[in-house]
Amino acid sequence: MADPYRSVLIFGAPGVGKGTQGSLLGCIPGFHHLSTGEMFRNLDPESEQSKTFLDYSARGELVPDDFTVELWRDYMKQLIKTGKYRPDVELLVLDGIPRSVAQVEAMRDLIDVMGLIHLKATDEGELLARMQRRATRENRFDDADENVIRTRWEVYYEQTLPVLGAYDSKLIWEIDALGSPCRVLSRVLNIVAPVHEQCFANALE
Ligand code: AMP
């Protein structure tokens, strides 16, 4: 079997800014950002896979674990084949996966988790406003409806938060997600830069 991909996980409730931080990190040489939400949204809208995704996401629910991990695994292979992601020199920044304990188990041999960044924000009103703004900007129907957003949060607390218990607490870093993207990024970089150096010490020499 191929070596597991060395990864950092960007973790947190819907609306907390995982995508923003992931994309910012992905602009830095030596990092590759992958958002599973984006992976799903970029599927051919006519495909059965896209229809399955829309079925669940429109209700604010998670797409089934097997389906998600299988799609993710194939997507990773494709990224490597086309040279877009280079596991030997890039740290994978995973945003939105694993999102359940079953996904953690299914991905145990596929990723080597070097750190988990838990973005935390408790101001629900601010998160709600952020999500409704991005719904218009990014044409995301799942963020336009307050009821769907509330379901997404419930799903997060019930199915995703337990993921934290599946990793060694030494790997978990809690980060305050409030503030400008730049301010939050500086906090994230304090954690991620040493992880990156540790992974690619030889490549950086
Ligand atoms: P996101 O863009 O990360 O907010 O994800 C949007 C939607 O995609 C979620 O509400 C889920 O329906 C689906 N999704 C994204 N990642 C996963 C995952 N790892 N497992 C199951 N469903 C996912």
Side-chain angles (χ1 to χ4, degrees):
M1 205 197 323
D3 286 341
Y5 313 129
R6 284 171 289 188
S7 311
V8 286
L9 310 182
I10 308 286
F11 192 87
V16 83
K18 299 187 293 298
T20 303
Q21 292 303 315
S23 322
L24 288 169
L25 285 176
C27 295
I28 303 173
F31 290 84
H32 185 94
H33 169 230
L34 173 64
S35 144
T36 38
E38 283 299 309
M39 173 188 81
F40 281 128
R41 282 186 287 277
N42 287 334
L43 288 168
D44 171 359
E46 296 303 320
S47 67
E48 282 308 311
Q49 290 175 320
S50 176
K51 286 177 190 155
T52 303
F53 159 64
L54 292 173
D55 238 18
Y56 288 91
S57 60
R59 296 194 296 260
E61 293 171 12
L62 294 184
V63 179
D65 293 320
D66 291 351
F67 177 91
T68 301
V69 174
E70 209 174 302
L71 186 71
W72 176 84
R73 196 195 283 131
D74 292 347
Y75 192 79
M76 294 305 303
K77 283 189 192 147
Q78 208 46 39
L79 286 177
I80 293 171
K81 205 165 144 191
T82 52
K84 291 188 180 130
Y85 163 52
R86 296 184 304 149
D88 49 334
V89 291
E90 287 177 328
L91 184 61
L92 187 60
V93 178
L94 286 178
D95 137 23
I97 196 166
R99 220 159 165 136
S100 67
V101 173
Q103 291 182 17
V104 173
E105 294 312 328
M107 294 169 74
R108 275 266 182 231
D109 298 333
L110 303 175
I111 55 173
D112 185 2
V113 177
M114 314 295 297
L116 184 156
I117 308 288
H118 182 193
L119 295 174
K120 291 189 87 171
T122 44
D123 186 341
E124 251 188 28
E126 168 58 23
L127 291 187
L128 189 64
R130 258 196 212 184
M131 290 172 84
Q132 287 175 324
R133 277 198 300 274
R134 98 177 160 190
T136 325
R137 204 174 52 231
E138 297 174 17
N139 199 19
R140 286 192 52 170
F141 55 86
D142 56 339
D143 284 346
D145 181 328
E146 186 173 333
N147 289 328
V148 177
I149 292 178
R150 295 210 175 273
T151 305
R152 271 156 63 70
W153 283 338
E154 277 167 29
V155 167
Y156 171 75
Y157 288 113
E158 280 167 22
Q159 299 179 44
T160 305
L161 208 51
V163 163
L164 291 178
Y167 290 109
D168 186 336
S169 58
K170 288 202 280 293
L171 294 176
I172 300 177
W173 302 88
E174 300 211 329
I175 300 274
D176 177 4
L178 284 183
S180 66
C182 174
R183 177 68 63 200
V184 179
L185 179 65
S186 76
R187 296 176 195 135
V188 171
L189 284 175
N190 281 336
I191 311 299
V192 165
V195 170
H196 184 262
E197 284 155 9
Q198 180 198 336
C199 288
F200 300 104
N202 295 339
L204 295 171
E205 274 166 11

